[in-house]
Amino acid sequence: MKLICVGRNYTEHIEELDNERPKDPILFLKPDTSILLKKNPFFIPEFSNDVHHEVEVLVKIKKIGKHIQQKFAHKYYDEIGLGIDFTARDLQQQLKEKGHPWEKAKGFDGAAVIGNFLPKTTFTNVDDINFRLEKNGKVVQKGNTNLMLWKIDALIEYISKYFTLKIGDIIFTGTPAGVGKVDANDVLTGYIEDTESFSIKVK
Ligand code: ZN
């Protein structure tokens, strides 16, 4: 399986990092080895002094597809989840400056937190889901899927032009504003609406 991640999908996050608003979705992949195993803590890697949390809504693909039209995209997923796209921001900055790929900063071991999924039917509208991340009990990021520049079905259409989507693939749909550094002993807890999706310890 693969993890397909979307960059710069929320205006306020684009502004906080002083990035340009993209004309098309920015895509990158994380390898399956980046998935943080359930119940494991997240270890800050030795090559970074500035690992950021990026809380993101996840979409789990349930059917193989290529060139999926937006109007049919809803048939390709039944579950919505929440996760963290951990990013070694210092390393990413160096790579960006050189025009190099981001993978080392985004795809390292443990860099993908995948929380519990909920059936899509839990929500009246997948384009109106509230979610938040708490760090040590304080809200640090909150968003709603209605703020996405490209909504879930539009992302599926765009992604499937380039990558065949397979059963079990997971889309990380981008992070809202409020990204920030994590430190040892932090506890990060993610909620979709008011349901806890994950809680992890940083070491
Ligand atoms: Zn991200």
Side-chain angles (χ1 to χ4, degrees):
M1 59 90 82
K2 58 188 174 298
L3 309 177
I4 307 109
C5 306
V6 181
R8 301 181 201 169
N9 202 20
Y10 288 84
T11 307
E12 286 181 8
H13 171 62
I14 295 172
E15 288 166 359
E16 77 181 340
L17 291 187
D18 220 359
N19 279 321
E20 235 172 81
R21 192 190 174 105
K23 274 206 258 350
D24 294 307
I26 292 178
L27 303 181
F28 57 95
L29 302 180
K30 286 180 189 262
D32 56 6
T33 47
S34 68
I35 297 169
L36 185 68
L37 297 176
K38 289 255 184 294
K39 306 244 157 56
N40 279 20
F42 170 74
F43 287 93
I44 297 171
E46 76 290 347
F47 52 77
S48 177
N49 295 310
D50 194 22
V51 172
H52 280 195
H53 53 74
E54 295 190 354
V55 71
E56 313 202 357
V57 167
L58 310 183
V59 178
K60 193 191 282 182
I61 298 298
K62 65 150 185 176
K63 196 165 114 166
I64 191 164
K66 169 113 182 134
H67 292 302
I68 300 163
Q69 286 179 267
Q70 191 172 325
K71 62 180 175 190
F72 298 125
H74 65 276
K75 300 179 178 203
Y76 289 79
Y77 62 98
D78 273 342
E79 292 176 275
I80 300 286
L82 196 72
I84 297 179
D85 164 21
F86 277 121
T87 304
R89 194 71 71 200
D90 43 0
L91 178 56
Q92 186 195 29
Q93 195 53 37
Q94 292 168 23
L95 295 166
K96 272 164 76 177
E97 280 164 15
K98 292 185 194 148
H100 291 176
W102 294 343
E103 268 69 11
K104 288 190 288 183
K106 291 274 199 183
F108 58 87
D109 289 1
V113 173
I114 297 173
N116 297 326
F117 283 83
L118 292 169
K120 189 167 70 174
T121 50
T122 314
F123 311 101
T124 38
N125 179 0
V126 294
D127 295 328
D128 185 16
I129 298 174
N130 290 296
F131 60 99
R132 68 182 192 274
L133 180 71
E134 294 186 1
K135 185 167 93 172
N136 309 324
K138 276 173 70 178
V139 178
V140 284
Q141 287 192 269
K142 64 176 199 229
N144 184 298
T145 52
N146 65 17
L147 299 170
M148 290 182 180
L149 296 177
W150 287 276
K151 306 285 191 293
I152 292 171
D153 291 356
L155 288 174
I156 288 175
E157 174 173 295
Y158 186 79
I159 291 167
S160 69
K161 285 183 199 175
Y162 297 89
F163 307 116
T164 295
L165 290 172
K166 294 175 76 175
I167 296 169
D169 286 350
I170 293 173
I171 301 172
F172 280 64
T173 58
T175 193
V179 300
K181 185 174 189 264
V182 296
D183 293 297
N185 300 316
D186 282 345
V187 176
L188 300 169
T189 312
Y191 296 86
I192 313 182
E193 296 294 351
D194 282 316
T195 306
E196 184 181 309
S197 182
F198 60 80
S199 187
I200 59 154
K201 213 171 168 172
V202 178
K203 297 222 167 173

PDB file of all heavy atoms in Angstrom, residues 156-181:
ATOM      1  N   ILE A 156      -9.188  12.902  -5.324  1.00  0.00           N
ATOM      2  CA  ILE A 156      -9.166  11.539  -5.880  1.00  0.00           C
ATOM      3  C   ILE A 156      -9.074  11.593  -7.409  1.00  0.00           C
ATOM      4  O   ILE A 156      -8.305  10.852  -8.021  1.00  0.00           O
ATOM      5  CB  ILE A 156     -10.397  10.743  -5.389  1.00  0.00           C
ATOM      6  CG1 ILE A 156     -10.189  10.409  -3.899  1.00  0.00           C
ATOM      7  CG2 ILE A 156     -10.616   9.471  -6.217  1.00  0.00           C
ATOM      8  CD1 ILE A 156     -11.348   9.720  -3.221  1.00  0.00           C
ATOM      9  N   GLU A 157      -9.814  12.503  -8.002  1.00  0.00           N
ATOM     10  CA  GLU A 157      -9.724  12.636  -9.465  1.00  0.00           C
ATOM     11  C   GLU A 157      -8.303  13.008  -9.875  1.00  0.00           C
ATOM     12  O   GLU A 157      -7.709  12.387 -10.768  1.00  0.00           O
ATOM     13  CB  GLU A 157     -10.716  13.702  -9.982  1.00  0.00           C
ATOM     14  CG  GLU A 157     -10.541  13.962 -11.478  1.00  0.00           C
ATOM     15  CD  GLU A 157     -11.600  14.889 -12.073  1.00  0.00           C
ATOM     16  OE1 GLU A 157     -12.780  14.499 -12.080  1.00  0.00           O
ATOM     17  OE2 GLU A 157     -11.235  15.981 -12.542  1.00  0.00           O
ATOM     18  N   TYR A 158      -7.739  13.996  -9.192  1.00  0.00           N
ATOM     19  CA  TYR A 158      -6.402  14.480  -9.571  1.00  0.00           C
ATOM     20  C   TYR A 158      -5.331  13.407  -9.325  1.00  0.00           C
ATOM     21  O   TYR A 158      -4.511  13.125 -10.196  1.00  0.00           O
ATOM     22  CB  TYR A 158      -6.084  15.760  -8.792  1.00  0.00           C
ATOM     23  CG  TYR A 158      -4.788  16.379  -9.231  1.00  0.00           C
ATOM     24  CD1 TYR A 158      -4.722  17.137 -10.393  1.00  0.00           C
ATOM     25  CD2 TYR A 158      -3.614  16.184  -8.500  1.00  0.00           C
ATOM     26  CE1 TYR A 158      -3.518  17.688 -10.826  1.00  0.00           C
ATOM     27  CE2 TYR A 158      -2.413  16.727  -8.919  1.00  0.00           C
ATOM     28  CZ  TYR A 158      -2.375  17.485 -10.084  1.00  0.00           C
ATOM     29  OH  TYR A 158      -1.179  18.018 -10.501  1.00  0.00           O
ATOM     30  N   ILE A 159      -5.356  12.818  -8.145  1.00  0.00           N
ATOM     31  CA  ILE A 159      -4.327  11.821  -7.796  1.00  0.00           C
ATOM     32  C   ILE A 159      -4.367  10.642  -8.766  1.00  0.00           C
ATOM     33  O   ILE A 159      -3.322  10.157  -9.214  1.00  0.00           O
ATOM     34  CB  ILE A 159      -4.533  11.329  -6.339  1.00  0.00           C
ATOM     35  CG1 ILE A 159      -4.205  12.446  -5.352  1.00  0.00           C
ATOM     36  CG2 ILE A 159      -3.673  10.090  -6.047  1.00  0.00           C
ATOM     37  CD1 ILE A 159      -4.666  12.167  -3.914  1.00  0.00           C
ATOM     38  N   SER A 160      -5.593  10.197  -9.112  1.00  0.00           N
ATOM     39  CA  SER A 160      -5.708   8.979  -9.923  1.00  0.00           C
ATOM     40  C   SER A 160      -5.344   9.193 -11.391  1.00  0.00           C
ATOM     41  O   SER A 160      -5.314   8.250 -12.173  1.00  0.00           O
ATOM     42  CB  SER A 160      -7.113   8.374  -9.781  1.00  0.00           C
ATOM     43  OG  SER A 160      -8.076   9.205 -10.392  1.00  0.00           O
ATOM     44  N   LYS A 161      -5.051  10.442 -11.767  1.00  0.00           N
ATOM     45  CA  LYS A 161      -4.490  10.673 -13.105  1.00  0.00           C
ATOM     46  C   LYS A 161      -3.051  10.191 -13.163  1.00  0.00           C
ATOM     47  O   LYS A 161      -2.543   9.834 -14.210  1.00  0.00           O
ATOM     48  CB  LYS A 161      -4.443  12.177 -13.415  1.00  0.00           C
ATOM     49  CG  LYS A 161      -5.757  12.802 -13.748  1.00  0.00           C
ATOM     50  CD  LYS A 161      -5.507  14.272 -14.109  1.00  0.00           C
ATOM     51  CE  LYS A 161      -6.796  15.041 -14.005  1.00  0.00           C
ATOM     52  NZ  LYS A 161      -6.608  16.473 -14.226  1.00  0.00           N
ATOM     53  N   TYR A 162      -2.397  10.250 -11.986  1.00  0.00           N
ATOM     54  CA  TYR A 162      -0.960   9.939 -11.937  1.00  0.00           C
ATOM     55  C   TYR A 162      -0.687   8.573 -11.342  1.00  0.00           C
ATOM     56  O   TYR A 162       0.238   7.884 -11.761  1.00  0.00           O
ATOM     57  CB  TYR A 162      -0.231  11.008 -11.109  1.00  0.00           C
ATOM     58  CG  TYR A 162      -0.326  12.367 -11.725  1.00  0.00           C
ATOM     59  CD1 TYR A 162      -1.378  13.218 -11.426  1.00  0.00           C
ATOM     60  CD2 TYR A 162       0.622  12.781 -12.667  1.00  0.00           C
ATOM     61  CE1 TYR A 162      -1.488  14.468 -12.019  1.00  0.00           C
ATOM     62  CE2 TYR A 162       0.523  14.032 -13.267  1.00  0.00           C
ATOM     63  CZ  TYR A 162      -0.541  14.869 -12.940  1.00  0.00           C
ATOM     64  OH  TYR A 162      -0.633  16.091 -13.540  1.00  0.00           O
ATOM     65  N   PHE A 163      -1.438   8.234 -10.295  1.00  0.00           N
ATOM     66  CA  PHE A 163      -1.188   6.997  -9.544  1.00  0.00           C
ATOM     67  C   PHE A 163      -2.453   6.161  -9.525  1.00  0.00           C
ATOM     68  O   PHE A 163      -3.510   6.665  -9.130  1.00  0.00           O
ATOM     69  CB  PHE A 163      -0.805   7.300  -8.089  1.00  0.00           C
ATOM     70  CG  PHE A 163       0.334   8.267  -7.929  1.00  0.00           C
ATOM     71  CD1 PHE A 163       0.125   9.504  -7.318  1.00  0.00           C
ATOM     72  CD2 PHE A 163       1.608   7.956  -8.376  1.00  0.00           C
ATOM     73  CE1 PHE A 163       1.179  10.398  -7.156  1.00  0.00           C
ATOM     74  CE2 PHE A 163       2.660   8.851  -8.216  1.00  0.00           C
ATOM     75  CZ  PHE A 163       2.445  10.070  -7.608  1.00  0.00           C
ATOM     76  N   THR A 164      -2.340   4.908  -9.909  1.00  0.00           N
ATOM     77  CA  THR A 164      -3.465   3.994  -9.731  1.00  0.00           C
ATOM     78  C   THR A 164      -3.720   3.873  -8.236  1.00  0.00           C
ATOM     79  O   THR A 164      -2.784   3.658  -7.459  1.00  0.00           O
ATOM     80  CB  THR A 164      -3.130   2.602 -10.310  1.00  0.00           C
ATOM     81  OG1 THR A 164      -2.981   2.742 -11.717  1.00  0.00           O
ATOM     82  CG2 THR A 164      -4.222   1.585 -10.024  1.00  0.00           C
ATOM     83  N   LEU A 165      -4.964   4.041  -7.838  1.00  0.00           N
ATOM     84  CA  LEU A 165      -5.305   3.873  -6.421  1.00  0.00           C
ATOM     85  C   LEU A 165      -5.678   2.419  -6.187  1.00  0.00           C
ATOM     86  O   LEU A 165      -6.409   1.820  -6.979  1.00  0.00           O
ATOM     87  CB  LEU A 165      -6.444   4.816  -6.042  1.00  0.00           C
ATOM     88  CG  LEU A 165      -6.038   6.292  -6.017  1.00  0.00           C
ATOM     89  CD1 LEU A 165      -7.252   7.186  -5.838  1.00  0.00           C
ATOM     90  CD2 LEU A 165      -5.014   6.552  -4.904  1.00  0.00           C
ATOM     91  N   LYS A 166      -5.146   1.871  -5.133  1.00  0.00           N
ATOM     92  CA  LYS A 166      -5.398   0.465  -4.817  1.00  0.00           C
ATOM     93  C   LYS A 166      -6.071   0.339  -3.451  1.00  0.00           C
ATOM     94  O   LYS A 166      -6.006   1.257  -2.630  1.00  0.00           O
ATOM     95  CB  LYS A 166      -4.069  -0.317  -4.832  1.00  0.00           C
ATOM     96  CG  LYS A 166      -3.464  -0.383  -6.243  1.00  0.00           C
ATOM     97  CD  LYS A 166      -2.109  -1.040  -6.261  1.00  0.00           C
ATOM     98  CE  LYS A 166      -2.202  -2.536  -6.132  1.00  0.00           C
ATOM     99  NZ  LYS A 166      -0.835  -3.158  -6.266  1.00  0.00           N
ATOM    100  N   ILE A 167      -6.677  -0.798  -3.220  1.00  0.00           N
ATOM    101  CA  ILE A 167      -7.370  -1.045  -1.955  1.00  0.00           C
ATOM    102  C   ILE A 167      -6.372  -0.878  -0.807  1.00  0.00           C
ATOM    103  O   ILE A 167      -5.285  -1.469  -0.847  1.00  0.00           O
ATOM    104  CB  ILE A 167      -7.980  -2.463  -1.932  1.00  0.00           C
ATOM    105  CG1 ILE A 167      -9.054  -2.574  -3.019  1.00  0.00           C
ATOM    106  CG2 ILE A 167      -8.568  -2.804  -0.555  1.00  0.00           C
ATOM    107  CD1 ILE A 167      -9.535  -3.999  -3.276  1.00  0.00           C
ATOM    108  N   GLY A 168      -6.732  -0.087   0.183  1.00  0.00           N
ATOM    109  CA  GLY A 168      -5.866   0.101   1.350  1.00  0.00           C
ATOM    110  C   GLY A 168      -4.960   1.311   1.264  1.00  0.00           C
ATOM    111  O   GLY A 168      -4.370   1.713   2.275  1.00  0.00           O
ATOM    112  N   ASP A 169      -4.824   1.887   0.082  1.00  0.00           N
ATOM    113  CA  ASP A 169      -4.039   3.125  -0.015  1.00  0.00           C
ATOM    114  C   ASP A 169      -4.704   4.198   0.848  1.00  0.00           C
ATOM    115  O   ASP A 169      -5.939   4.207   1.016  1.00  0.00           O
ATOM    116  CB  ASP A 169      -3.996   3.635  -1.464  1.00  0.00           C
ATOM    117  CG  ASP A 169      -3.080   2.795  -2.355  1.00  0.00           C
ATOM    118  OD1 ASP A 169      -2.338   1.943  -1.825  1.00  0.00           O
ATOM    119  OD2 ASP A 169      -3.112   3.010  -3.584  1.00  0.00           O
ATOM    120  N   ILE A 170      -3.889   5.095   1.375  1.00  0.00           N
ATOM    121  CA  ILE A 170      -4.433   6.153   2.236  1.00  0.00           C
ATOM    122  C   ILE A 170      -3.986   7.520   1.720  1.00  0.00           C
ATOM    123  O   ILE A 170      -2.801   7.723   1.418  1.00  0.00           O
ATOM    124  CB  ILE A 170      -3.991   5.941   3.698  1.00  0.00           C
ATOM    125  CG1 ILE A 170      -4.638   4.657   4.250  1.00  0.00           C
ATOM    126  CG2 ILE A 170      -4.367   7.145   4.573  1.00  0.00           C
ATOM    127  CD1 ILE A 170      -4.154   4.247   5.618  1.00  0.00           C
ATOM    128  N   ILE A 171      -4.963   8.408   1.619  1.00  0.00           N
ATOM    129  CA  ILE A 171      -4.664   9.785   1.195  1.00  0.00           C
ATOM    130  C   ILE A 171      -4.600  10.679   2.435  1.00  0.00           C
ATOM    131  O   ILE A 171      -5.519  10.682   3.262  1.00  0.00           O
ATOM    132  CB  ILE A 171      -5.741  10.314   0.226  1.00  0.00           C
ATOM    133  CG1 ILE A 171      -5.828   9.414  -1.010  1.00  0.00           C
ATOM    134  CG2 ILE A 171      -5.442  11.759  -0.180  1.00  0.00           C
ATOM    135  CD1 ILE A 171      -6.994   9.746  -1.935  1.00  0.00           C
ATOM    136  N   PHE A 172      -3.502  11.404   2.578  1.00  0.00           N
ATOM    137  CA  PHE A 172      -3.353  12.456   3.595  1.00  0.00           C
ATOM    138  C   PHE A 172      -3.732  13.762   2.892  1.00  0.00           C
ATOM    139  O   PHE A 172      -3.064  14.170   1.937  1.00  0.00           O
ATOM    140  CB  PHE A 172      -1.902  12.541   4.078  1.00  0.00           C
ATOM    141  CG  PHE A 172      -1.516  11.508   5.106  1.00  0.00           C
ATOM    142  CD1 PHE A 172      -1.505  10.155   4.805  1.00  0.00           C
ATOM    143  CD2 PHE A 172      -1.132  11.900   6.392  1.00  0.00           C
ATOM    144  CE1 PHE A 172      -1.137   9.206   5.767  1.00  0.00           C
ATOM    145  CE2 PHE A 172      -0.761  10.968   7.360  1.00  0.00           C
ATOM    146  CZ  PHE A 172      -0.762   9.618   7.047  1.00  0.00           C
ATOM    147  N   THR A 173      -4.812  14.386   3.353  1.00  0.00           N
ATOM    148  CA  THR A 173      -5.432  15.448   2.555  1.00  0.00           C
ATOM    149  C   THR A 173      -4.899  16.858   2.812  1.00  0.00           C
ATOM    150  O   THR A 173      -5.465  17.827   2.313  1.00  0.00           O
ATOM    151  CB  THR A 173      -6.957  15.428   2.759  1.00  0.00           C
ATOM    152  OG1 THR A 173      -7.214  15.592   4.163  1.00  0.00           O
ATOM    153  CG2 THR A 173      -7.578  14.130   2.293  1.00  0.00           C
ATOM    154  N   GLY A 174      -3.809  16.978   3.560  1.00  0.00           N
ATOM    155  CA  GLY A 174      -3.225  18.297   3.796  1.00  0.00           C
ATOM    156  C   GLY A 174      -3.557  18.819   5.181  1.00  0.00           C
ATOM    157  O   GLY A 174      -4.531  18.394   5.806  1.00  0.00           O
ATOM    158  N   THR A 175      -2.729  19.740   5.641  1.00  0.00           N
ATOM    159  CA  THR A 175      -2.875  20.216   7.027  1.00  0.00           C
ATOM    160  C   THR A 175      -3.381  21.653   7.078  1.00  0.00           C
ATOM    161  O   THR A 175      -3.018  22.476   6.233  1.00  0.00           O
ATOM    162  CB  THR A 175      -1.531  20.088   7.779  1.00  0.00           C
ATOM    163  OG1 THR A 175      -1.766  20.253   9.189  1.00  0.00           O
ATOM    164  CG2 THR A 175      -0.518  21.152   7.344  1.00  0.00           C
ATOM    165  N   PRO A 176      -4.230  21.941   8.089  1.00  0.00           N
ATOM    166  CA  PRO A 176      -4.623  23.336   8.294  1.00  0.00           C
ATOM    167  C   PRO A 176      -3.520  24.092   9.050  1.00  0.00           C
ATOM    168  O   PRO A 176      -2.477  23.511   9.354  1.00  0.00           O
ATOM    169  CB  PRO A 176      -5.880  23.204   9.152  1.00  0.00           C
ATOM    170  CG  PRO A 176      -5.660  21.957   9.943  1.00  0.00           C
ATOM    171  CD  PRO A 176      -4.857  21.040   9.054  1.00  0.00           C
ATOM    172  N   ALA A 177      -3.757  25.345   9.337  1.00  0.00           N
ATOM    173  CA  ALA A 177      -2.758  26.169  10.037  1.00  0.00           C
ATOM    174  C   ALA A 177      -2.484  25.632  11.441  1.00  0.00           C
ATOM    175  O   ALA A 177      -3.245  24.820  11.975  1.00  0.00           O
ATOM    176  CB  ALA A 177      -3.261  27.607  10.120  1.00  0.00           C
ATOM    177  N   GLY A 178      -1.390  26.079  12.005  1.00  0.00           N
ATOM    178  CA  GLY A 178      -1.080  25.744  13.392  1.00  0.00           C
ATOM    179  C   GLY A 178      -0.003  24.697  13.546  1.00  0.00           C
ATOM    180  O   GLY A 178       0.220  24.189  14.651  1.00  0.00           O
ATOM    181  N   VAL A 179       0.684  24.354  12.438  1.00  0.00           N
ATOM    182  CA  VAL A 179       1.755  23.364  12.548  1.00  0.00           C
ATOM    183  C   VAL A 179       2.803  23.895  13.523  1.00  0.00           C
ATOM    184  O   VAL A 179       2.973  25.099  13.678  1.00  0.00           O
ATOM    185  CB  VAL A 179       2.409  23.062  11.176  1.00  0.00           C
ATOM    186  CG1 VAL A 179       1.373  22.517  10.207  1.00  0.00           C
ATOM    187  CG2 VAL A 179       3.107  24.273  10.587  1.00  0.00           C
ATOM    188  N   GLY A 180       3.495  22.979  14.183  1.00  0.00           N
ATOM    189  CA  GLY A 180       4.495  23.429  15.150  1.00  0.00           C
ATOM    190  C   GLY A 180       5.383  22.284  15.587  1.00  0.00           C
ATOM    191  O   GLY A 180       5.123  21.110  15.297  1.00  0.00           O
ATOM    192  N   LYS A 181       6.426  22.677  16.308  1.00  0.00           N
ATOM    193  CA  LYS A 181       7.467  21.736  16.724  1.00  0.00           C
ATOM    194  C   LYS A 181       6.953  20.798  17.818  1.00  0.00           C
ATOM    195  O   LYS A 181       6.190  21.212  18.694  1.00  0.00           O
ATOM    196  CB  LYS A 181       8.629  22.566  17.253  1.00  0.00           C
ATOM    197  CG  LYS A 181       9.873  21.799  17.632  1.00  0.00           C
ATOM    198  CD  LYS A 181      10.990  22.802  17.988  1.00  0.00           C
ATOM    199  CE  LYS A 181      12.313  22.093  18.157  1.00  0.00           C
ATOM    200  NZ  LYS A 181      12.662  21.754  19.526  1.00  0.00           N
TER     201      LYS A 181
END
